[in-house]
Amino acid sequence: MAASSLLAAILALQLLLLLVAFTPAPAAAASPSKRPIHQPPSFPAGISTLRRRAASSSGRLATEAVKPFTAHYFPQELDHFTFTPNSSRVFSQKYLLNDTFWRKPTGPLFVYMGGEADIEWLATTTGFMFDIAPEFGALIVFIEHRFYGESKPFGNDSYKSVDMLGYLTSTQALADFAILITSLKQNMSIVDAPVVVFGGSYGGMLASWFRLKYPHVAIGALASSAPILHFDDITPWSSFHDTVSQDFKSESLNCFSVIKAVWDVLDNRGSNDTGLLELSKTFRACKTVQFIYPLSSWLQTAFIHTAMMDYPTPANFLMNLPAYPVKEMCKIIDSFPAGADVIDKAFAAASVYYNYTGDQKCFQVEGGDDPHGFKGWGWQACTEMVMPMTVSNESMFRPSSFSYEKMSENCLAGYGVRPRMHWITSEYGGHKIDKVLKRFGSNIIFSNGMRDPWSGGGVLKNISSSIIALVTEKGAHHLDLRSATKDDPDWVVEQRRQEVEIIHGWIDQYNKDTAQG
């Protein structure tokens, strides 16, 4: 199957966490390529305290020129679950430390579960942990996920074969975290210090699963925008694209209708070489595209990622974006005169995502680089992270279906392996999660914003008195983990205040239990 056909088949199913659609490379090379598809007071900080703290910063980390952490490397075993000759092979796992606010030896460890990206990028986009660390006297730790960033077990050859990629699993990653945290506490003589884990998106899934799998290591978890229910038939398969569509429709019905109409127009105009040449000029492509798919994918990525990053303040997460970027996109579309070309409207809106700063002379519509190191996600999506997705007729995107059989064939063609379709729910659960976790789980915050497309797979209702769902109507993708700013709306400030209060409760109870022996 041609690479473009494979990508087209997979994109509809696997617009996965953080974000980005990938396509498997041929099995011989197995090298997937990216497609642009966070003395202290003994009480929780109130809204006024968080406001003052935010007002003293620019909304980013205190300094961007000087990194607010030091990098370290831990000798990690390759395979935690077998005793084969290769299992004891050691690789260097990167982790970051910030002890600026640490009240040793009793201060807690705030540990971020690294997801599918370079850990330094994740650390510089997770200001919440830095914002609240002074209040807790916390040691901040960010741990990089195996096979991402600098934590590649086989160096630059880590993606070259299935034999190597086979060690890239969520269970291995969770075991890495457990061993590193335990060893760190022993080496620093703080074995009794409480650990709270944090994570957003896939990292949020890992944080919640870590609390369930390793309750002896972490006393609680903040899992932000963690779609742990986006598996099997637990959540509607169309929820992701339906939410994106609703985000745009809520701003402007005309905006929604323009985007919904653009796909057929693109297909018609891109049906021949002349049309592709003209479209390449319209889209200011750095080189003429040979197929219509890259243009459709380029537009779709802009709309989806903008919905995910629909933050109430300007941000530079995946791209530089203004506050409420969905609204800005729709303003542009609605400003065109009657009868204007639908493709011109869609391109102008997408430029908010790709060129808000106005410094792009042309756009890499095809290919492009991988600045945040998402490369391994294609493998994870084709092995255990099988999150079914469809596009309904009511969506503003092209309707599409999902087939386990077709996905299996595509992954076999791309990597030489078939997915374990239902492994995640077998390993971590998910079905009837309210009843199951109520019986044995505790100390997890599931936070979600309903403008985030991933919220459809999140835990949106309280499960027990200690497994709490914090839901904001206007929140976007793990907004709560970003740095506080002076312009944050009250509902964001209140969400973070509740999180701080809950974490205080976990730590206070742990300290009481420890004092009692």
Side-chain angles (χ1 to χ4, degrees):
M1 178 182 289
S4 60
S5 299
L6 179 58
L7 217 169
I10 289 182
L11 180 61
L13 339 164
Q14 299 294 343
L15 274 164
L16 293 175
L17 309 172
L18 275 178
L19 326 166
V20 193
F22 294 84
T23 180
S31 178
S33 59
K34 186 175 82 74
R35 178 73 69 171
I37 3 168
H38 176 319
Q39 172 94 358
S42 59
F43 52 88
I47 289 180
S48 61
T49 305
L50 293 175
R51 288 283 195 202
R52 289 195 301 272
R53 186 179 300 152
S56 66
S57 71
S58 63
R60 294 179 292 274
L61 297 180
T63 170
E64 293 180 327
V66 179
K67 295 175 181 177
F69 44 72
T70 56
H72 305 265
Y73 298 85
F74 179 78
Q76 189 66 259
E77 280 196 332
L78 177 64
D79 185 358
H80 303 293
F81 303 109
T82 68
F83 292 89
T84 60
N86 206 35
S87 64
S88 58
R89 176 186 176 124
V90 172
F91 71 95
S92 293
Q93 183 172 21
K94 186 175 182 177
Y95 65 100
L96 312 175
L97 290 180
N98 180 300
D99 61 1
T100 305
F101 315 108
W102 185 27
R103 191 173 61 245
K104 185 180 179 180
T106 59
L109 279 71
F110 286 174
V111 180
Y112 190 91
M113 312 263 93
E116 72 285 30
D118 178 279
I119 195 62
E120 291 201 15
W121 174 63
L122 292 172
T124 55
T125 57
T126 311
F128 176 66
M129 291 169 64
F130 293 87
D131 288 346
I132 68 173
E135 180 168 332
F136 289 89
L139 174 66
I140 301 173
V141 187
F142 282 80
I143 306 177
E144 192 162 68
H145 194 297
R146 58 168 56 203
F147 282 83
Y148 293 99
E150 296 182 47
S151 302
K152 296 183 177 68
F154 304 97
N156 292 333
D157 294 333
S158 295
Y159 304 118
K160 283 193 173 179
S161 76
V162 171
D163 288 339
M164 296 173 182
L165 280 167
Y167 296 103
L168 173 50
T169 68
S170 61
T171 49
Q172 295 279 10
L174 292 177
D176 288 343
F177 298 150
I179 290 172
L180 195 158
I181 292 169
T182 302
S183 297
L184 183 66
K185 291 177 68 178
Q186 290 172 342
N187 292 337
M188 300 181 82
S189 300
I190 51 170
V191 292
D192 291 328
V195 174
V196 178
V197 294
F198 299 73
S201 199
Y202 171 50
M205 301 167 79
L206 293 172
S208 66
W209 293 336
F210 190 84
R211 170 59 186 161
L212 297 176
K213 291 289 185 178
Y214 297 93
H216 54 291
V217 179
I219 68 166
L222 170 52
S224 181
S225 297
I228 62 168
L229 305 182
H230 220 304
F231 297 92
D232 294 357
D233 57 353
I234 302 174
T235 193
W237 291 357
S238 66
S239 65
F240 183 96
H241 294 92
D242 286 346
T243 301
V244 177
S245 301
Q246 183 56 41
D247 288 351
F248 281 83
K249 183 183 282 188
S250 69
E251 297 297 342
S252 162
L253 181 57
N254 174 63
C255 180
F256 167 88
S257 300
V258 165
I259 297 171
K260 187 176 180 67
V262 75
W263 315 112
D264 287 341
V265 177
L266 269 180
D267 283 348
N268 291 334
R269 292 194 193 169
S271 60
N272 55 63
D273 291 342
T274 301
L276 287 170
L277 177 61
E278 290 303 313
L279 286 171
S280 297
K281 292 177 181 177
T282 299
F283 280 72
R284 291 170 49 195
C286 295
K287 61 180 181 180
T288 303
V289 299
Q290 303 301 311
F291 305 96
I292 197 60
Y293 175 73
L295 294 174
S296 297
S297 177
W298 189 83
L299 282 180
Q300 184 170 320
T301 296
F303 300 136
I304 288 174
H305 288 186
T306 299
M308 289 174 61
M309 309 306 151
D310 196 34
Y311 299 139
T313 55
N316 181 12
F317 182 47
L318 293 175
M319 294 285 191
N320 273 301
L321 289 173
Y324 297 113
V326 171
K327 183 186 293 292
E328 295 303 314
M329 278 188 169
C330 286
K331 281 183 180 177
I332 288 175
I333 287 177
D334 290 346
S335 70
F336 274 79
D341 188 354
V342 67
I343 290 180
D344 289 340
K345 295 178 183 179
F347 170 76
S351 295
V352 171
Y353 176 75
Y354 290 110
N355 196 27
Y356 182 64
T357 55
D359 56 358
Q360 297 297 309
K361 292 180 169 45
C362 67
F363 298 109
Q364 294 288 348
V365 174
E366 291 184 281
D369 58 7
D370 181 17
H372 305 307
F374 298 137
K375 194 173 184 180
W377 189 254
W379 167 264
Q380 291 193 257
C382 263
T383 49
E384 59 177 359
M385 303 300 293
V386 181
M387 308 172 81
M389 287 188 177
T390 60
V391 181
S392 66
N393 291 327
E394 289 71 36
S395 166
M396 67 183 193
F397 300 107
R398 305 175 194 270
S400 70
S401 59
F402 175 85
S403 164
Y404 281 115
E405 292 76 16
K406 181 178 289 187
M407 181 185 179
S408 180
E409 293 301 324
N410 286 339
C411 292
L412 181 64
Y415 284 108
V417 298
R418 292 188 184 275
R420 294 178 183 172
M421 300 295 187
H422 310 290
W423 170 245
I424 290 295
T425 52
S426 297
E427 176 68 8
Y428 305 115
H431 294 281
K432 298 182 179 178
I433 191 170
D434 54 340
K435 296 180 176 59
V436 173
L437 293 193
K438 186 175 182 178
R439 288 196 292 266
F440 85 95
S442 65
N443 292 9
I444 303 174
I445 302 169
F446 290 103
S447 62
N448 283 279
M450 297 309 291
R451 291 184 74 83
D452 178 13
W454 291 110
S455 63
V459 176
L460 304 179
K461 295 182 179 179
N462 291 350
I463 292 177
S464 68
S465 60
S466 67
I467 301 182
I468 306 299
L470 298 180
V471 179
T472 56
E473 181 182 351
K474 296 181 180 180
H477 201 51
H478 50 69
L479 168 62
D480 53 325
L481 293 185
R482 296 186 60 79
S483 296
T485 79
K486 61 183 176 57
D487 298 318
D488 284 336
D490 288 344
W491 53 266
V492 177
V493 178
E494 173 60 17
Q495 180 182 22
R496 292 180 179 138
R497 187 202 66 76
Q498 291 182 62
E499 291 170 352
V500 168
E501 183 176 19
I502 292 168
I503 294 170
H504 264 294
W506 296 343
I507 294 173
D508 290 346
Q509 186 61 55
Y510 173 84
N511 289 334
K512 289 177 183 177
D513 294 343
T514 301
Q516 292 173 0

